[in-house]
Structures are given as C-alpha cells and as structure tokens.
Amino acid sequence: MIFSRGVYIVLFSFIFFTTKAQQWPASFEQLGSKLPTPNTYRTGSGAPGEAYWRQKVDYKIKVSIDDEKQVLTGTETIVYHNNSPDVLTYLWVQLDQNVRKEGNIKDVTNITGIAPQMSTKKIVRELGAYDYDGGFKIHQVTDNTEADLSYFINRTMMRIDLPVPLKSGEVYSFKMSWSYNLYDRMIINGRGGYEYFPEDKNYAYTVAQWYPRLCVYDDYEGWQNKQFIGDGEFALEFGDFDVEITVPADHIVSATGELQNATQVLSAEQQKRWTLAKKTFDKPVIIASQEEAEAREKNKSSETKSWHFKAQNVRDFAFATSRKYIWEAQAVKLPTNTVMAMSVYPKEANPLWANEATKAVKNALEVYSSRTFDYPYPVAIAVNAANQGMEYPMICFNGSRPNKNGKYSQRHVSDLVDVVVHEVGHNYFPMIVNSDERMYGWMDEGLNTFLELETKRERYPDLDTIWGSPKSMTVYHIRFDQWLDAPMTNPDITNFSGYSDYGQASAAMNVLRNVIMGKELFDKSFKTYANLWKFKRPKPADFFRVMEDASAIDLDWFWKGWFYHTAPVDVAIEEVKWYLLRDSSIQPKAKYGVQPNYFSLDETPDFAYREFRNLIDDDKIRSDFRSKSFYEITFKNAGGLVSPLVLQFTFDDNTTISETIPAEIWRYNESKVTKVFYFDKVLKSVALDPHDLTGDIDTRNNVFRMY
C-alpha cells in the first residue's frame, strides 16, 4: 500500500497514540516459531503429509485371573511393524503397573502432609501405608526361538535390545510372560484393579494397563518413553489383538473387541438373547439377568472358562470380569455402521443403570458420530465400577450408583450421564484420533469434555450443562488463579487438571463455536480435523492449523490466549458517552440519567477529496444523522485475555438488539478500546456478554445503565 506523506503521518499518529501504553500487540503476534516447521509428515495446513507414517503393533495374549489370590498372569506374543523410515536398535515397552512398585517415582515425589484431623483411609493413601506388593513380575522375555532377549527396566519403562537392527519395513516378533497382584481400588487409587463386595464375598475386576505394551515411536519425537507418574495418561500404537481371558466359569466377561466363542461361554438362552439384541434398536435386551447374577453370587464355581476376543485397529485392550455382572445390549444404527451399545453392572447399580446406562451409550455414539465420523467399531460398552471413570477402546469403566435402598435422584442420573457419555466419547479422542495423552491432556480430555457437553445439550437439556462451558471456568480464576497452568502444560505437573486438561479447552471450543466462528463453520472445521487425523497421531499444531485452514479465520491470538496462558476474560464497560447533533430531532427527557454531549457536522473540506471529483452529499448525511443517537463506549480489558465483545443493547421502548465485535478490536491496544455505535432509538442500557458465552469472570462491570 502506498500512502501520501500527509496521510501516512496521520495514520502513524493514530497507531502511536492508540498503542503507547503497550509497545507491541503481543496477543495478535503470530505463533510463528512456537509451532514446528511443516514437513512431508505434517503439512502447513495441519493435514498429514504424503510421507506420514505410524507404527503397528499386534498382540496375541493369554491371561488368567486367580479369583482366590487376586493375581493376574499372562503371556503375550508381540509383532512389531517398523513402518518408520528409521533403523531401530531397541524397543521401549511401557510397564504401567510399576507405578505402584515399591520406591516408585509417584510415591517418592508426592507432596504429603498431616492435617489436624484425618481419616484412616486418607492417611493410608497419603503415606502409601498399605500392604501391597505392586508392579509387574517379568518372568521371561524371548524371541520366537525362545532365546532370551537382553533388556533393562527403568521404573515404568523397559528397553529391549534387538539382536539385529530392525530396518524400515521389517517386522520383529518376540514373547513375554509376566504376572502382578491386582489391587483393591477402595484403598489404592488406580485405573484398574478390583472391587470387593463383603455382603456376598465376591469381586468385580476392571482390568487395565495389565500387559506390557509398546511405547509410541513417531516422526515428532522418536520414542515417547516419558515415565508414567500417574496423571499423564497414555501414548499407544494401533494394532490387532487376539486375547484369551481365563476366569471362573460363572463369570461374565466384557472386553475390547468381539467375542469369538459365544457358544462355549454363554448359555443357550443367553445366546438367543444376544441374537435378539442385535436386531433390537428401540430398547436394551437383557443378556444376563439380575436373577442369574444373584444365583452366580451364591454358587461360586471352582471351574474356569476362557473367553476369546479379537479387535482390529485399536490402540489398547481392557476387560472387566465378575460373577456379579448383569449384561444388556441394544443395536444402534449409524449411517455407515451398526453398533452394539452395552452396559454391564452389578445389582448394586440397579435400577439406575437399567434405566439410564445403555441409553447414555447410545446417545454418545449418535451425537459424537454426527460431529466427527461414524463410530467404526462393533461394540461400545459401559461397565459400572465404584468411583471410577476410565476409558479404553470399545469399553469404559464408570461410577454412579443409586442409594443403598435403590432410590436415586436427578443428581444420580446426571452423574451417570456425565461419566458414561464422557468415557464412551473417549473412543473418538484419543482412541481413534490418537493424540499423545502423556504430553497434551487437553487434546483428548478437553475436546471430549466439549462434545460431552454438546451431547447433554442435545439429549439431556434438563441436566447440568454448566461443566465445560466458559462459565464453569470462572471459579478457577476467582479462587485459584495463582496456581493455574495453561492447557499446553504437561499433565503430570499441573495443579488443577480439571482446569488445564478438561475445562479450559472445552470452554475454548464453546467460545470458538458460539462466538468466534459460528456453529456451522466450526462444525465443518472440527469434522475436518477429526477425519484427517482418525487412526493417526495429531499434535497441537496439527489441530490449530486445521481449524484455521478449514475456516479461513486467523486464530493464532486465540490459541495463544486460551492454550498457552492462563489470563482470564474480564472485560469491563468503563464508560458510555451519549452524543447528539446540535440540531438533533431527539429531545432528551428528564428521566435520562446520562445527559447527551453535542457535536457538529461540518462541510467536508476540499483537501479531503484529494484527486477525487465526486463529492459527498453533506446535507443528506447531516439530515440522516439528526435522528440518531451516538454512543461512544469505552471497554477495558481487566483480565488480560483479549475477547470478542458480545453486546446487547436495550432501548427506551424495551426492544433489544445484539452485536458481536470480533476480538481483533484489541489489535492496536489490548488494554482499552473505544467504539461508537449509533441507533434510531435512545439507549436504556448496554450489557456485555449477557448469556455467559465468553467466560467473563466478573460480570459486575458488564452492564452500563443510561437511566
């Protein structure tokens, strides 16, 4: 652009005096070097590049549970496909159970303290003062010829040295055998373990992180072998699983994948019910009833059965087993797939789970599929487990039970819907859109919390729809602001993961959809991201870039503010000045609390036309503006996070209009801006963000009343 000298000086003076309080508009500086340089693996548009690759790991596992001693024993054959362009000389394996091994880094580094009053349970957990021999017992690591492989263990990671370097395109197979003691989740906090029911002396096992599993090797950082401390979850490779689970013969087993031997483990009646369920779309069909479960509780079998499951293209495998389980299933028709939605639960979860659980699975599948891609797996299972919420491919473990007398309230329903929808939703993020949970918790927890909230808005409008909204973040900023960490912070070092990993990213998606991009454009862009990266491994930069590339909106300021920093939205209406033309047709009334200022409109001077020959109709403009009220509004950014201005104007006849000003209004000055609005009516009041769309933490300064 070329300016004449005079115009340039005027423009420079405007920018200088507007920004003199702040030397550089930092929020609107591009992310630039904060994002990795695009390459053939990951493009500048955020899409996978033409050379993108990922490894594949297949598992064939046999596992058994000793129901008397609560010991899990397993053997596995692992087939590692090196699809990378690199030569590998060793493999890294995750040993997640070692997070509970004596001397583990979690317990050693936990900050502990004594309170004036503590429960026995709390002090036992606080000090780790329980009698439990934790961690994997590795019995053998061999190649396919049964020759021992060299390995060493560093806390929760095992390095296996390969006898011969594994070249690009090659496959390596090896075997492992192991065991570990399952733990009581009532005492020891963990994602897998068992729950004991003293009334009938039975156990329910929710089994997770139970087998040694390969670490991720990718184009971004090589081996993801960051130690598992407890909060940062998992980075895993896709592969195929063939798993045989041996348990007491009267157990019901639910697992990742499809059951291969139903005729051997189910009764004839249960097989008939299962066949019926596959054709039933309007309600759940009971496969294993409560009456049958109660009979199994009393007559404990001393024999065993092996349940055989297969799963393709999944990144993990989990299962649940108990003689206490009730099992129901319902077919869910999606545009390109029919899925069996299932619930598995003990009688202690009834009647709440019978009434609500499978329906919640179905609702999650339908809403998430409409926003991303059709659920590609054959089953989706919710398993009831006390005080738990954890996700795995095709199966999740969920709390929420009625009172002991069987009665439950709307709060119980809300708790169940929250946890089931959320954990089933994790099938999409990160089980399919396979982000690195160990490093970026918000990429699965935050995006999933957002879609959980969307599911509740669509299917459960009478339940709590606050959590995950911008409004839900205000309490963190008001009470814990100095301890907050940005979502880009590693999950293991965040003070409040509810804020950093879950709520803040979800709130951000709400602002992005409902205020900045609009619902239609956001939904198209979000679906683009999900489909580009399903069954692949996206990083934050990939998400940021896709959302911009698919929408034509520069969002660098937004990612910086919402994901790299913790400053809150707090915009104040500092001042409103009312202006009228000196010969205005509007006559101020005595009731108006704010009296108008008057200004004149002069003829446009000749020099303002420069080389143009056509002229402005000064008289017409003055005539048009005589009936207008002008309002110069000053907005102050008290919180530090730049934000769109969502405004509602109320006039003296009590009519209203709304207007949203994009956040770019702060691009010259992030502290204070003014903007003039003019109307045919006299303004009664102006409100900023009246519907809590932006997460403004202090709404006391959001309304200015003229009278």
Side-chain angles (χ1 to χ4, degrees), residues 247-281:
V247 293
D250 53 0
H251 272 215
I252 295 291
V253 179
S254 285
T256 299
E258 290 185 284
L259 181 62
Q260 303 296 301
N261 62 338
T263 58
Q264 297 172 7
V265 295
L266 301 182
S267 68
E269 183 60 33
Q270 288 170 342
Q271 292 176 57
K272 289 180 183 178
R273 297 168 186 166
W274 174 240
T275 301
L276 175 62
K278 291 179 180 179
K279 301 179 291 185
T280 304
F281 294 88

Side-chain angles (χ1 to χ4, degrees), residues 219-458:
D219 63 282
Y220 199 81
E221 61 182 326
W223 285 108
Q224 169 48 288
N225 54 7
K226 187 178 184 298
Q227 291 289 336
F228 178 43
I229 302 177
D231 290 323
E233 291 183 322
F234 312 106
L236 298 163
E237 302 282 14
F238 288 105
D240 300 334
F241 285 76
D242 185 330
V243 181
E244 293 182 30
I245 303 167
T246 301
V247 293
D250 53 0
H251 272 215
I252 295 291
V253 179
S254 285
T256 299
E258 290 185 284
L259 181 62
Q260 303 296 301
N261 62 338
T263 58
Q264 297 172 7
V265 295
L266 301 182
S267 68
E269 183 60 33
Q270 288 170 342
Q271 292 176 57
K272 289 180 183 178
R273 297 168 186 166
W274 174 240
T275 301
L276 175 62
K278 291 179 180 179
K279 301 179 291 185
T280 304
F281 294 88
D282 59 340
K283 61 182 179 180
V285 173
I286 298 293
I287 312 299
S289 70
Q290 180 165 330
E291 290 73 19
E292 292 166 341
E294 290 175 348
R296 293 194 302 270
E297 288 177 352
K298 298 172 184 176
N299 304 307
K300 300 179 177 65
S301 174
S302 59
E303 299 179 353
T304 62
K305 282 183 181 179
S306 294
W307 294 59
H308 186 195
F309 294 88
K310 287 186 178 180
Q312 293 183 318
N313 207 17
V314 294
R315 49 164 257 171
D316 199 3
F317 190 103
F319 66 94
T321 179
S322 178
R323 60 177 54 88
K324 293 180 63 65
Y325 282 154
I326 302 159
W327 173 18
E328 62 180 54
Q330 175 181 348
V332 179
K333 183 66 176 174
L334 301 175
T336 62
N337 191 23
T338 297
V339 184
M340 294 307 297
M342 301 189 220
S343 296
V344 176
Y345 48 91
K347 67 179 185 296
E348 287 77 8
N350 260 341
L352 175 63
W353 269 62
N355 293 338
E356 300 291 344
T358 304
K359 179 169 65 176
V361 176
K362 174 179 181 289
N363 286 333
L365 291 173
E366 291 174 342
V367 175
Y368 277 69
S369 293
S370 71
R371 297 297 187 90
T372 56
F373 45 78
D374 282 358
Y375 184 82
Y377 295 132
V379 300
I381 311 166
V383 179
N384 179 254
N387 295 102
Q388 196 167 25
M390 193 58 202
E391 70 281 355
Y392 304 92
M394 303 188 224
I395 190 169
C396 55
F397 308 144
N398 315 106
S400 188
R401 288 176 183 164
N403 298 325
K404 290 183 178 181
N405 61 6
K407 295 182 179 180
Y408 62 90
S409 66
Q410 190 78 339
R411 181 72 259 172
H412 289 94
V413 175
S414 185
D415 289 345
L416 180 147
V417 169
D418 285 350
V419 69
V420 171
V421 169
H422 184 90
E423 307 307 343
V424 170
H426 270 306
N427 278 283
Y428 296 82
F429 306 95
M431 301 302 157
I432 299 172
V433 182
N434 189 15
S435 57
D436 183 349
E437 300 175 87
R438 190 64 53 86
M439 293 297 294
Y440 308 107
W442 69 265
M443 289 191 74
D444 70 295
E445 297 296 358
L447 300 186
N448 186 37
T449 299
F450 163 68
L451 286 176
E452 172 200 340
L453 179 57
E454 291 295 290
T455 302
K456 289 193 291 182
R457 285 171 173 164
E458 283 193 28

